[in-house]
Amino acid sequence: MPVTRLIAAALAATMALTPLAGAAGLDSTVRPVARPMPIDASPRPEPRPAVTREASLEPVQISTANRGFQRWIQDFRARALAQGISARVFDRAFSDVRYNADVISRDRNQSEFTKTIWDYLDSAASATRIRNGRAALREHARLLDRIEARYGVDKEVVVAVWGLESAYGTYRGSTPIIEALATLAYDGRRGRFFEQQLIAALKILQSGDTDARHMTGSWAGAMGHTQFIPTSYLAYAVDFTGDGRRDIWSDDPADALASTAAYLARFGWTRGQPWGVEVRLPRDFDVQLADRDVRRSPAQWAAMGVRDMNGRAVPDYGRASILLPAGARGAAFMIFDNFAVIERYNTADAYVIGVGHLSDRLKGGPAIQADWPRGDRALRFAERKELQERLTRAGFDTRGIDGKIGPNTIAAVRAYQRSVGLIPDGYASLDLLKRLR
Ligand SMILES: [Ca+2]
């Protein structure tokens, strides 16, 4: 599971902040499997109405799907029991389970949602989310101080994860997890992954941490205040309240927030180190150095003219890379090892910057100061594939046509940009695609 390889600077035009689709600048195949929330990188809106079962049912389709589904459950039962799930736990967990068409329609529609990083960040660090986050810090001050003391992770970062994952607990998801995961496992598009999650969910029920009625979450199986998927829950959730149950679902966020801190600590959170710092690059900066594989000390970057937004050298928090998430015309960040720790939650650059920036705002820090290329729109999935096809045909091999703008595509974009005399920032924009046409 643990994917140690970091994703190269995602200098992509667009972010497809969608379940497993990743950002355009990311290759979702290198996402760590065990991160708490692999599915939906969008910041949760302030509470939104759930789609009701009644509204989502399409009777004719369902009756057919449900017959196949019931057969699948019987086959799966044998596999689950072989993996140590008791018949009693299994049968109780599945007693009310039906094929959930809403889950499948959401799974099918996910790749349609694309957002630019600036739109994402506008929502991630909206005035409402900042205000509610500060209120949460006040309301849970003692708890958060204890969690910070135990795990060494800044409380504002934990609260920022909470804010993005469930709008501070207001949107934890009301989909029955066993039903959602069973439907997705049966559907088969990512059947193996979801069957593994389903087994893990059954193990949670068997452990007695919660029961099926309370085990609710997002349509894709992320649970509780900070949206852990079942395998991550089994590996990393903690019982902070000491009642013997790791309860991330209840109104009390203590176990969930401690679990998030434990998770970040487990993946190497460095106390006192920022995730990143917005920086100003000198006019003659070689943007090819804005690459995750290029790591320098802040002093070395300062010697090249890289400054924080107040014109000062960035303090020595450790080795850092320069990230240009929207190319040379957008904001620049100096990012540290803690950036990669937040990536363990979700590898989309927009998500990591969203958590990091929201945490900064909760600490009283300023808004991101640089402009974004707001005239650009997000590249659609078909356009990202077309970009890869055209680059590859032009001799700049993207090593695959999958619609995901990962390190190979970014490298191809840079090589193409160099060949035609453009700034080689790796930014996969619509203008670039038009130029290739
Ligand atoms: Ca507990």
Side-chain angles (χ1 to χ4, degrees):
M1 136 269 140
V3 175
T4 53
R5 184 171 165 280
L6 299 180
I7 294 170
L11 306 173
T14 63
M15 312 298 293
L17 292 161
T18 60
L20 296 179
L26 297 165
D27 179 350
S28 68
T29 59
V30 300
R31 288 184 168 198
V33 171
R35 72 192 178 288
M37 211 293 283
I39 301 303
D40 186 349
S42 301
R44 299 289 171 195
E46 301 312 315
R48 64 189 174 197
V51 177
T52 65
R53 178 186 292 277
E54 287 70 29
S56 67
L57 281 177
E58 297 161 42
V60 178
Q61 229 184 315
I62 296 321
S63 61
T64 318
N66 210 31
R67 273 200 299 277
F69 183 56
Q70 294 305 330
R71 277 197 300 275
W72 179 87
I73 290 174
Q74 288 317 306
D75 291 345
F76 171 65
R77 186 177 187 277
R79 296 197 291 279
L81 267 51
Q83 289 183 68
I85 305 299
S86 78
R88 193 182 63 84
V89 165
F90 187 97
D91 294 338
R92 187 177 290 178
F94 274 86
S95 61
D96 288 330
V97 167
R98 282 181 286 170
Y99 181 82
N100 189 325
D102 179 44
V103 164
I104 295 303
S105 74
R106 284 173 185 240
D107 188 48
R108 295 280 187 273
N109 290 332
Q110 59 184 343
S111 60
E112 299 305 316
F113 302 112
T114 56
K115 249 187 187 178
T116 58
I117 187 168
W118 47 94
D119 285 341
Y120 181 89
L121 293 174
D122 286 350
S123 166
S126 68
T128 303
R129 208 180 302 270
I130 293 167
R131 190 171 58 244
N132 291 343
R134 287 178 182 160
L137 279 162
R138 282 192 300 272
E139 184 185 345
H140 301 283
R142 280 186 53 198
L143 168 69
L144 289 164
D145 284 344
R146 286 171 55 222
I147 290 173
E148 183 176 276
R150 176 147 352 151
Y151 298 102
V153 178
D154 310 38
K155 61 190 171 193
E156 293 86 357
V157 170
V158 173
V159 170
V161 170
W162 189 23
L164 292 195
E165 296 294 350
S166 70
Y168 311 106
T170 36
Y171 187 77
R172 310 203 285 275
S174 55
T175 306
I177 288 295
I178 297 294
E179 179 169 293
L181 291 174
T183 301
L184 289 161
Y186 162 69
D187 178 61
R189 198 167 72 82
R190 279 170 286 148
R192 256 183 60 187
F193 171 77
F194 285 116
E195 182 162 325
Q196 181 195 16
Q197 295 303 322
L198 181 55
I199 294 280
L202 290 165
K203 284 182 179 166
I204 295 169
L205 294 178
Q206 187 151 298
S207 73
D209 282 299
T210 190
D211 58 34
R213 194 166 65 81
H214 293 97
M215 190 192 257
T216 56
S218 79
W219 65 268
M223 308 179 298
H225 290 265
T226 52
Q227 299 283 282
F228 271 54
I229 57 172
T231 49
S232 294
Y233 174 95
L234 286 178
Y236 306 109
V238 298
D239 170 24
F240 195 72
T241 63
D243 66 350
R245 296 164 61 238
R246 303 183 287 172
D247 188 354
I248 64 172
W249 301 272
S250 76
D251 290 340
D252 177 1
D255 284 356
L257 297 179
S259 295
T260 291
Y263 184 88
L264 296 173
R266 164 70 180 73
F267 286 107
W269 185 264
T270 302
R271 197 174 218 156
Q273 183 190 68
W275 64 277
V277 174
E278 187 183 0
V279 290
R280 198 170 276 133
L281 304 177
R283 201 171 288 279
D284 62 353
F285 186 78
D286 176 3
V287 295
Q288 293 175 98
L289 295 175
D291 186 316
R292 287 294 284 277
D293 294 333
V294 178
R295 288 162 54 79
R296 304 254 198 283
S297 71
Q300 287 173 306
W301 288 120
M304 297 167 63
V306 178
R307 293 283 184 276
D308 72 14
M309 299 309 276
N310 298 315
R312 292 189 289 258
V314 175
D316 186 8
Y317 298 114
R319 275 149 62 88
S321 304
I322 302 298
L323 181 68
L324 297 173
R329 291 182 299 136
F333 300 96
M334 186 182 295
I335 59 170
F336 298 90
D337 287 344
N338 278 345
F339 188 95
V341 178
I342 301 173
E343 275 184 325
R344 288 295 184 157
Y345 236 94
N346 187 310
T347 58
D349 279 352
Y351 179 84
V352 178
I353 296 169
V355 166
H357 179 58
L358 177 57
S359 74
D360 290 345
R361 301 298 296 278
L362 296 178
K363 291 174 182 174
I368 291 169
Q369 292 177 52
D371 292 329
W372 298 102
R374 286 182 182 267
D376 291 5
R377 69 158 171 81
L379 284 186
R380 300 187 180 97
F381 182 69
E383 291 169 335
R384 298 198 296 272
K385 280 175 69 172
E386 183 193 344
L387 179 76
Q388 292 173 322
E389 277 159 9
R390 289 184 182 277
L391 282 168
T392 300
R393 227 180 302 147
F396 306 97
D397 191 355
T398 60
R399 313 218 191 141
I401 313 291
D402 58 3
K404 297 167 191 157
I405 311 294
N408 292 330
T409 301
I410 291 170
V413 168
R414 283 189 201 262
Y416 170 74
Q417 288 170 321
R418 268 194 306 273
S419 76
V420 295
L422 293 171
I423 297 171
D425 62 2
Y427 178 57
S429 68
L430 187 60
D431 281 346
L432 193 89
L433 174 59
K434 284 177 177 164
R435 196 176 173 126
L436 277 157
R437 280 175 178 157

